[in-house]
């Protein structure tokens, strides 16, 4: 089969690879639609995962099952499925303890384009199909379905980790697609005012669509000063970091109240450390919780997100700003994520 | 002053009482708008609180401060305020432990028309003004403000107690004004599908407005059978009871999944016991949590709800179906709550 | 192989059955030591699980592995293992949601002597060995090991469900072996005073050994009156029910404070309903949480309990009052549980 | 009255000050026994709180009430009381939200020798006596009582913030008196193995007394390497930091598992930032929670700790290694905390 791969750091291209093989609990899927992710950019152009050679990229896809292993019960060839970016090993100590994302190792629930070939191939392999796939319901938006696999679940996880209480004021720092879903997630997890921190017009419009009540454009002055002014010097109850460099932690801790939470779903790709500001953290005693985590994945998570879309709580299809028809456009779509244009949120590639 | 009072069980009328007196931390308020509550009906016509003589009724009001005690810092005469139905003693062991509703005794955070005269007087007394009042913001809907004091906070508390996880399916049993706010609360606390159980057309319309995705009309068959059919035999993740007799617990426990929660904000006025169905509760081992509680009140709670309204997460003004101008209409409004008409959700009385 | 079985309701005896067969993830174990449980009594003599024919009894055992399936990685024949009473299906929606006890159905994580032959056979089958077995450490007490499989984990779960806060006062109702472990569990989960409710001298001594500070003998007067006197009329913060009939719920709800928790690990074998007392439950509004649940099982749970024993937090071997040498004594040991003598807590049968 | 005061940075001495005055809710107390704290050292010799002039030091005391305000209900002159180091404003938004330590500002629940004169005076002032004092029970150890006010509550809070699950492995870094109480707290909040990180022989002995199962002496090699070896490369579930410089965060995050918690009750007195190690924190996605907080105080907290001592869960009197008779020895006792000797844990000064 063919796949669009990372050939090495800074190099991508189409390659020929052997077809994937399904173990007894697995499935082989051919993609219907895929989307590149900033993580793919980190992987290829920043070497975030370290050297990888000839590894097929991509971890956001919906597809059609072409083969299932002998022990798969709930799925069969021909089924159209949503494939989460994170496909844990459910038979693991970490899953039993509630952290399936880290099954068999920190972050190791993330397999596509990390430990094995990703979804930008003519076929791809899904471990433990019964636990990791979800049926794409009839009539469900393809665009929404692809967004669920990673952007929605990751952004919403930022809101979950923030442990929002009814009526909390929340700041979301970074309003790329994950940040936008953190805004939307905060709105359906109890937030009142949501301060969206960003600058691009397209993102600001989308942030308002997804429930932001106030916009903090960092081009207009320091984020912390603006937030403090908006909140009469009180700060916010929760901060969700969805994009920035390590230094952002100083701002996040500063603007959050004692008793508040700084939640992180941002991938930090550089620097040795992420700095907690000592004084603003109450010299260690301010009860400002700092928590960051990889999104959960798997079937139950996808089915919950499907129901949220069907119930009208969220319309993730609005994230998609650029549409490509034909698998060959994957490279073009990927490079869009690298050289972010003013009007870009997320591209999608319909395979056929 | 004059007040509309419970003269005794089954008897109401206007009486003359001495003006209330503010202690050093208290405020005296004259009402701007009030609303009668089903609880007033329980109090008067079912003797729910036991015998009460010449006690002014009412606990849902906004008003204007006419006097404050010497130690009140944040409020002054002339301020227009939202007055929560529940006004706790914040200097109490229970408040320190996080249950201010039960400060100084079970349910004793509820004072108006319970331990002291309520808000259907020309003046009423508010304990600990700095901790229990919230400024009515300029331009804020009077209708929404009155609904916040009890209906919104109580319904939302039902959703809070249900401990909803992202994407949970939730059944709300009873869709009077509290149930409608439980529906709305579930929707902004993470629910996906919301099954509203009721039968009156006006309530069903309102339930859909507030986010119900499915309607279960008990006139069409047993609630549990309908819910099980809607959920492919799985049951729901959470149940919120917002109106019914004790027997409803059998249904609630039956339709909730193992690991789920039955949350109650219904006042049970009769019967010795509320029956947990043994088999459906897994003979004691199903992890089906049962929790019921009086809403929190006080200033911080009101300010959070104000922000939720201002942020557009909820529009409680739609609860009001009947409007009266002039304080003298309080009795008429109250009796509406007793003899519920088809199109009634909540009445409001604008005092002037 | 031979096994000691339930032949039908009220009938037990040794029978010959085919040897169990290991699937690819399973193990076959021969018992080293076993203990009968009150649940076995419920099963046989009360028909608690409904009619069962020729089903081998028993679910508390340690043993030696005699065979493992092809996919088992962490265990091999000859390994000595602790076998939890609850052996979930880890690849299930319920396990992914944190309720492995209810994997594939309410209470369905309990398989031994319920859905399949139990451990009172010359051989028994364990599903998903890597996830459900734990190595018996060298030098670890056999007695403690057998107690871990059910009594310790169940009693401790009662304490876990009670959600004890530091310094809470806790009442444990019923001080059979599970109740004693609830006492011990409360003591290492933050309780200060622990009121043990029971009457037999042997149990009272054991309750004190395991950390009870006060004894409430129901022969000396109503439990609620004694508890209220002990607590200056305040009631306790948490109640754990570990043995009683449904009526006990009235007492439990009465003696717990608003904001408190009634936790149940008792199996209710009779009655249609379990009565929540309306008034003491604040007419539905007292924030007295009621929760009951089957213990979690599986490998991680067993390994945690092993570490607790090794760390000296708990010595479960003191539960064992009657010791039998030779598998043939299983019946005798079982009947001890039926006709509870004054000095009985738990019997053990060393198979060889 | 006389008091032992900070005259300015690096300067201490006895001074004459006006007697404190009780407001209507307050009490005036004369000390029975006091203990200096490392925080006093930070305050005086590191200028941790900034410049303070002629401020009486000390925040650990028990005493006898000499005067109460007109509104105090539960206490009277002559009562012997335990005085928590943290005496919150209970009528505050922060207290209503569950963070009384930060009432009226970050860390502002800490008043003694911070915002007002401390307890090293012939008399001292206690705000809101009914909410902030606890009766010293007859026969209760004076030594234990003084330790409860700060060391026990702070160390236990470290264990609380760690959110220990039953059987977790916990590392406590720093085993001064707070760290020792974190060890003890972990042991009664569910920990199995407790790794105590320290080096002084007296502290190591005490750590074992308080429940440490393993000692990690940093003089024997890097802490992280030792912990990883002890845990077969798995790391611990929880880390409690109770003493160290900001760099310790690198170690703490490294040795904790994904899904684990780093809890801090250490005061960081220097450096601009506290460094989170990027890679060990999973580039922001490891679910390693970082939380630090000032202990809660107030009456309910003290009463809970009293009950824990009375129930035999903890014996804090063993912390005291040096005893002084006579108030004049306060300076000597304080300087002991500055120049820590090998055998010092905590000194106490009996006033008379």
């Amino acid at each position: 089969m063919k796949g669009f791969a990372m050939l090495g750091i800074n190099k991508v291209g189409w390659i020929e690879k052997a077809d994937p093989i399904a173990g007894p609990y697995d499935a082989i899927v051919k993609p219907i639609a895929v989307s590149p992710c900033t993580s793919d950019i980190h992987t290829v152009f920043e070497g975030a995962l370290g050297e990888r050679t000839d590894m097929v990229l991509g971890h956001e896809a919906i597809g059609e099952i072409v083969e299932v292993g002998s022990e798969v019960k709930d799925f069969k060839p021909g089924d159209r499925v949503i494939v989460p970016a994170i496909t844990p090993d459910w038979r693991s100590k970490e899953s039993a303890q509630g952290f399936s994302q880290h099954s068999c190792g920190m972050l190791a629930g993330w397999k596509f384009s990390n430990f094995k070939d990703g979804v930008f191939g003519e076929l791809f392999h899904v471990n433990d199909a019964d636990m990791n796939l979800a049926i794409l319901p009839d009539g469900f938006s393809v665009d929404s379905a692809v967004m669920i696999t990673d952007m929605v679940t990751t952004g919403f996880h930022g809101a979950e980790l923030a442990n929002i209480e009814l009526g909390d004021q929340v700041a979301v720092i970074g309003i790329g697609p994950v940040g936008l879903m953190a805004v939307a997630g905060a709105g359906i997890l109890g937030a009142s005012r949501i301060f969206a921190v960003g600058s691009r017009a397209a993102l600001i419009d989308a942030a308002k669509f997804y429930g932001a009540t106030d916009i903090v454009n960092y081009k207009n002055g320091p984020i912390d000063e603006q937030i403090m002014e908006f909140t009469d010097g009180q700060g916010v109850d929760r901060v969700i970091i969805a994009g920035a460099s390590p230094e952002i932690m100083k701002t996040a801790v500063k603007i959050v109240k004692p008793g508040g939470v700084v939640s992180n779903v941002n991938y930090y790709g550089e620097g040795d450390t992420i700095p907690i500001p000592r004084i603003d953290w109450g010299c260690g005693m301010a009860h400002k919780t700092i928590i960051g985590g990889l999104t959960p994945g798997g079937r139950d998570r996808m089915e919950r997100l499907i129901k949220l879309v069907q119930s009208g709580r969220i319309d993730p299809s609005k994230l998609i700003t650029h549409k490509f028809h034909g698998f060959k456009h994957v490279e073009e779509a990927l490079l869009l994520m690298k050289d972010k244009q003013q009007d870009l949120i997320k591209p999608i590639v319909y395979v056929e």
Side-chain angles (χ1 to χ4, degrees), chain A:
Chain A
M1 63 159 225
K2 281 187 179 171
F4 183 73
M6 173 179 185
L7 309 178
I9 290 180
N10 276 319
K11 275 178 283 180
V12 294
W14 289 90
I15 58 171
E16 190 71 32
K17 294 202 83 164
D19 284 1
I21 296 169
Y25 291 93
D26 306 336
I28 305 300
V29 176
K30 65 174 182 183
I32 292 170
V34 301
S35 181
C37 173
T38 308
S39 302
D40 292 308
I41 301 298
H42 293 312
T43 299
V44 175
F45 299 102
E46 299 173 9
L49 304 171
E51 187 68 47
R52 293 286 193 281
T53 304
D54 293 350
M55 181 184 67
V56 176
L57 288 165
H59 51 262
E60 303 184 7
I62 63 169
E64 182 184 319
I65 294 178
V66 297
E67 183 191 341
V68 296
S70 58
E71 304 301 313
V72 173
K73 292 176 186 161
D74 296 348
F75 297 91
K76 61 182 188 307
D79 284 349
R80 290 157 57 95
V81 289
I82 296 179
V83 186
I86 308 302
T87 52
D89 298 299
W90 292 95
R91 297 178 57 256
S92 66
K93 173 183 281 202
E94 293 80 8
S95 293
Q97 293 177 348
F99 290 94
S100 58
Q101 323 62 341
H102 306 293
S103 53
C104 304
M106 184 164 70
L107 312 183
W110 174 27
K111 300 183 189 312
F112 290 125
S113 67
N114 184 2
F115 297 143
K116 70 175 183 184
D117 282 329
V119 302
F120 293 169
E122 287 171 326
L123 297 172
F124 59 86
H125 169 273
V126 178
N127 59 301
D128 202 343
D130 282 335
M131 290 297 286
N132 283 327
L133 291 175
I135 288 289
L136 177 69
D138 287 343
F140 197 90
S141 151
V142 162
D143 293 3
S144 288
V146 175
M147 290 302 97
I148 279 178
T149 63
D150 188 0
M151 296 299 99
V152 179
T153 191
T154 297
F156 278 23
H157 193 51
E160 288 175 305
L161 289 177
N163 198 18
I164 298 166
E165 296 187 4
L166 188 63
D168 273 351
Q169 301 191 87
V170 178
V172 177
I173 300 179
I175 50 172
V178 167
L180 290 170
M181 290 302 94
V183 167
I188 60 168
L189 285 170
S192 57
R193 287 175 84 182
I194 302 175
F195 304 91
V197 180
S199 67
R200 278 200 279 145
L203 300 180
I204 288 172
D205 286 350
K208 290 177 182 168
F209 172 80
Y210 282 119
T213 55
D214 302 83
I215 303 297
V216 175
N217 188 330
Y218 48 80
K219 294 185 176 171
N220 297 343
I223 296 170
D224 59 320
E225 289 180 13
Q226 292 187 63
I227 293 278
M228 284 300 172
E229 195 175 318
F230 269 125
T231 60
D232 298 322
Q234 295 291 304
V236 293
D237 299 289
R238 302 295 188 259
V239 177
I240 306 171
I241 303 175
S245 63
E247 288 294 303
I248 196 67
M249 190 60 75
K250 292 184 185 172
T251 298
V253 170
K254 187 169 192 177
I255 63 178
V256 81
K257 288 178 185 173
V261 178
V262 175
S263 157
N264 180 76
V265 283
N266 183 51
Y267 166 86
Y268 296 101
E270 54 187 33
D272 287 337
T273 62
I274 297 158
I276 305 174
R278 183 178 67 86
I279 299 290
D280 289 319
W281 206 49
C283 302
M285 300 189 293
H287 289 94
K288 297 184 175 182
T289 300
I290 300 170
I291 169 71
L294 180 66
T295 182
R299 177 179 181 173
D300 182 60
R301 178 73 172 184
M302 292 299 107
E303 290 181 350
R304 287 173 173 270
L305 298 177
I306 288 167
K307 287 201 196 83
L308 284 165
V309 172
Q310 289 176 325
S311 301
R313 311 292 170 208
I314 170 79
D315 177 2
S317 69
K318 290 288 189 290
L319 291 174
I320 295 177
T321 50
H322 293 67
K323 302 187 178 190
F324 297 87
H325 293 268
F327 209 0
K328 64 183 176 190
H329 295 293
V330 160
E331 179 165 11
E332 197 177 341
L334 177 69
L335 294 179
L336 271 184
M337 297 302 289
K338 183 160 179 260
D339 312 309
K340 287 173 181 167
Q341 302 169 16
Q342 278 300 319
D343 61 347
L344 176 75
I345 304 179
K346 277 284 281 195
I348 192 170
V349 179
Y350 308 105
V351 171
E352 286 172 9

